[in-house]
Amino acid sequence: MYGLARALRRAAAPGRPPAPRRGGGGAGARPWGWGLALGLALGVKADGGQAAEASALPPPRGFGAAIERSRDLLRRIKDEAGIPGILVGVSVDGKEVWSEGLGYADVENRVVCKPETIMRIASISKCLTMMAVAKLWEEGKLDLDAPVQKYVPEFPEKVYEGEKVAITTRLLVSHLSGIRHYEKDITKVKEEKEKANRAFKLTKPNRDKEQEGKGIEKADPVKPRKEHEGEVKSRNSKPGRRDKEFEQEEYYLKEKFESVIESLKIFKNDPLFFKPGSQFLYSTYGFTLLSAVVERVSGQKFTDYMLKMFRDLDMLSTVLDDNEAMIYNRARCYVYNKKGRLVNAPYVDNSYKWAGGGFLSSVGDLLKFGNALLYSYQAGQFKKNNCKLLPGYLKPDTVAMMWTPVPKTEVSWDRDGKYAMAWAVVEKKQQCGCCRQQRHYASHTGGAVGASSVLLILPEELDSEALGTGLVTPPRGVIVSIICNMQSVSLNSTALKIAREFDKEKWAQYID
């Protein structure tokens, strides 16, 4: 950020003499440097002579090197995992700088992927639902700490070990409610969790040694927690094959539910796995209950409320994963069978989990969503110096609350993080000098039948000097979205590597 502050000071300085390019002048030299180009783009006033000379400047060089390196990384991931088609989108400081499709959206008909291709985003749907919950809370319509029965009396009151307990919206969004996931047997869940924890403790010392001094975030975990295994591929499993979670029958429900209240019947009478608030268990069904809360609080059908929100956010390609609807640019979904051959994914109806994994979207729409959140998060810091700044969709304090790690939670796809409110959050940290620096970022992955996804937001570390210039506006940071039409593909570390590539290239331009 200090490079940006220096560039802005150079840009705003009136009558500054031309600065020769490093290594001498010449016909190819940039007479004013990138600082002035950036300043002019942000609305810095200059006298007539400066403006005329600056108008002949070439446009910024862009992110060609970062795109090339990231494209090569994606191609390697695609080939290694046998992914038919993969989409990627990247935005820097609110502007989409790269979107591309690799491979096929439809293998049978040889339809290639393109940026407009629409795929299942799986559990990124939880982030979209959280936006709706936050908006209703801001409007004073929803009490996060009231028992859910206040809004959804159809959901029975719960008892755990003879004690009456309360499930609240706040517990639902952080997976602390005790409501089960797809596995019905609590003994199996506990056994798998203990096994995953033992494996992590055994591998953690070795991984820490490998990462020290490299200055990069850790890669995806060697052994993920099983309750979220469908969204993270173990290094010992084959992408596209059915992990244990994908062996659960409820993943393949074909029944069409006419309302979110009706879909509660799947789990509402099942016992809780633990006392609400005492421990973490990732649960898509918790978000099914959350959709009923949103429906009752908003006074609209959950799906109608969400589609209206998508229009407000200009996410016109984000729709319900409805099998009957004609949805242009929708990709096919694929898995590998027991013989290792690519086959079409089995038919499923996701109407029982709209809120937790039932939306389709494009990488461009996910970038818009991420930027709306990032703008809201940072707007408060800029407001002091720019009274004309528009408000965010949410208030800054609301997003800060959403991105505050919650005690007793965990994240299977990123061991550095904790779960917050429908987001995994990694906090800034550096334990030793000249060792790994951990940046603050938020992310969520998704795993569905025949699809995998990730959305990652890497906010810029803002400093008061740059904010004080009044020349920069939110959002500031890098956002990466990746979707593919193959299940059980781990994408979080790939998204983080891509975000760092673009972040590095961005700062290189400021100090050039």
Side-chain angles (χ1 to χ4, degrees), residues 196-197 200 207 218 221 223-225 411-417:
N197 284 333
F200 174 66
R207 290 205 313 277
K218 296 176 187 176
K223 191 68 175 176
R225 280 169 167 72
V411 179
S412 58
W413 64 87
D414 195 328
R415 294 290 184 175
D416 287 326

Side-chain angles (χ1 to χ4, degrees), residues 272-485:
L272 298 180
F273 275 20
F274 53 81
K275 183 179 180 180
S278 66
Q279 56 182 293
F280 178 90
L281 177 66
Y282 190 89
S283 172
T284 290
Y285 287 139
F287 274 72
T288 299
L289 176 55
L290 192 63
S291 66
V293 172
V294 170
E295 184 166 293
R296 291 294 170 75
V297 171
S298 67
Q300 303 176 48
K301 287 184 63 176
F302 172 75
T303 51
D304 291 344
Y305 185 85
M306 294 300 293
L307 292 174
K308 179 182 180 301
M309 186 184 80
F310 297 154
R311 288 195 297 272
D312 292 342
L313 295 170
D314 197 31
M315 298 169 59
L316 303 182
S317 297
T318 305
V319 295
L320 301 173
D321 186 5
D322 186 347
N323 293 305
E324 297 175 359
M326 298 294 292
I327 300 174
Y328 296 107
N329 297 316
R330 174 161 40 178
R332 300 289 294 269
C333 298
Y334 298 95
V335 297
Y336 283 99
N337 64 15
K338 293 180 180 179
K339 296 181 179 180
R341 293 185 62 87
L342 185 71
V343 296
N344 288 310
Y347 176 89
V348 294
D349 191 304
N350 286 324
S351 59
Y352 72 102
K353 59 173 182 179
W354 295 130
F359 292 113
L360 305 172
S361 192
S362 64
V363 288
D365 267 17
L366 293 181
L367 293 181
K368 290 178 181 179
F369 174 73
N371 277 310
L373 267 177
L374 185 56
Y375 183 100
S376 299
Y377 181 61
Q378 296 176 329
Q381 300 176 63
F382 287 89
K383 196 71 175 176
K384 300 173 185 177
N385 302 303
N386 190 342
C387 60
K388 296 181 180 179
L389 199 64
L390 291 172
Y393 187 80
L394 297 175
K395 297 175 183 177
D397 289 345
T398 302
V399 185
M401 176 184 70
M402 289 166 52
W403 286 352
T404 299
V406 176
K408 301 179 183 178
T409 63
E410 57 198 38
V411 179
S412 58
W413 64 87
D414 195 328
R415 294 290 184 175
D416 287 326
K418 291 285 187 180
Y419 210 83
M421 301 177 81
W423 285 90
V425 177
V426 172
E427 296 188 293
K428 180 180 178 181
K429 183 175 68 176
Q430 184 177 10
Q431 294 180 328
C432 303
C434 296
C435 293
R436 187 173 70 94
Q437 298 179 22
Q438 187 171 287
R439 285 278 300 274
H440 165 60
Y441 61 90
S443 72
H444 210 294
T445 63
V449 176
S452 302
S453 61
V454 65
L455 175 62
L456 186 143
I457 301 175
L458 181 68
E460 181 178 302
E461 296 179 3
L462 302 172
D463 73 86
S464 57
E465 187 177 4
L467 291 173
T469 64
L471 300 177
V472 293
T473 57
R476 305 290 301 181
V478 181
I479 300 175
V480 179
S481 59
I482 307 174
I483 323 173
C484 70
N485 53 358

Side-chain angles (χ1 to χ4, degrees), residues 63-128:
F63 294 88
I67 291 173
E68 200 60 42
R69 289 191 292 267
S70 299
R71 183 186 292 121
D72 179 66
L73 174 62
L74 277 179
R75 282 173 174 162
R76 285 189 278 123
I77 296 295
K78 179 181 178 301
D79 293 343
E80 178 186 343
I83 302 169
I86 191 167
L87 313 172
V88 62
V90 179
S91 76
V92 178
D93 298 341
K95 295 180 177 61
E96 183 178 306
V97 297
W98 181 39
S99 61
E100 188 173 352
L102 303 173
Y104 290 100
D106 184 335
V107 174
E108 292 168 293
N109 296 298
R110 314 307 282 172
V111 178
V112 297
C113 287
K114 53 186 178 181
E116 298 79 19
T117 299
I118 293 173
M119 293 184 181
R120 286 174 176 161
I121 62 171
S123 283
I124 296 177
S125 302
K126 294 178 173 68
C127 303
L128 307 185

Side-chain angles (χ1 to χ4, degrees), residues 187-197 226 244:
T187 303
K188 290 183 179 179
V189 171
K190 289 181 177 179
E191 288 176 353
E192 294 292 352
K193 191 169 185 177
E194 289 173 1
K195 186 195 297 185
N197 284 333
K226 298 295 183 176
K244 288 189 176 181

Side-chain angles (χ1 to χ4, degrees), residues 133-275:
V133 170
K135 192 68 173 177
L136 292 169
W137 176 74
E138 281 189 351
E139 294 170 351
K141 298 177 180 179
L142 173 61
D143 182 352
L144 295 177
D145 298 306
V148 293
Q149 288 82 8
K150 175 180 178 180
Y151 308 108
V152 189
E154 292 88 346
F155 190 78
E157 294 185 348
K158 293 294 181 179
V159 174
Y160 183 78
E161 295 184 348
E163 177 187 357
K164 184 178 178 180
V165 294
I167 295 175
T168 66
T169 300
R170 190 183 298 275
L171 294 176
L172 288 174
V173 298
S174 297
H175 302 288
L176 295 169
S177 68
I179 294 174
R180 70 175 178 87
H181 194 36
Y182 298 113
E183 175 59 70
K184 297 179 181 180
D185 189 339
I186 186 173
T187 303
K188 290 183 179 179
V189 171
K190 289 181 177 179
E191 288 176 353
E192 294 292 352
K193 191 169 185 177
E194 289 173 1
K195 186 195 297 185
N197 284 333
R198 286 196 300 269
F200 174 66
K201 289 177 181 178
L202 289 173
T203 57
K204 187 176 187 298
N206 292 331
R207 290 205 313 277
D208 286 347
K209 288 180 181 179
E210 292 172 1
Q211 294 297 332
E212 277 189 3
K214 293 184 179 179
I216 60 172
E217 274 80 356
K218 296 176 187 176
D220 286 337
V222 172
K223 191 68 175 176
R225 280 169 167 72
K226 298 295 183 176
E227 70 270 13
H228 195 203
E229 189 174 4
E231 301 194 1
V232 190
K233 175 184 72 69
S234 160
R235 296 196 186 280
N236 297 321
S237 66
K238 169 70 177 175
R241 296 282 181 84
R242 289 190 183 181
D243 291 322
K244 288 189 176 181
E245 180 168 299
F246 282 97
E247 293 175 357
Q248 302 298 324
E249 293 181 1
E250 288 176 348
Y251 240 110
Y252 303 92
L253 293 181
K254 297 175 174 57
E255 179 182 354
K256 185 176 181 63
F257 292 89
E258 297 301 327
S259 70
V260 295
I261 298 296
E262 183 187 357
S263 62
L264 296 178
K265 70 180 185 181
I266 300 173
F267 63 93
K268 70 178 185 179
N269 293 318
D270 293 339
L272 298 180
F273 275 20
F274 53 81
K275 183 179 180 180

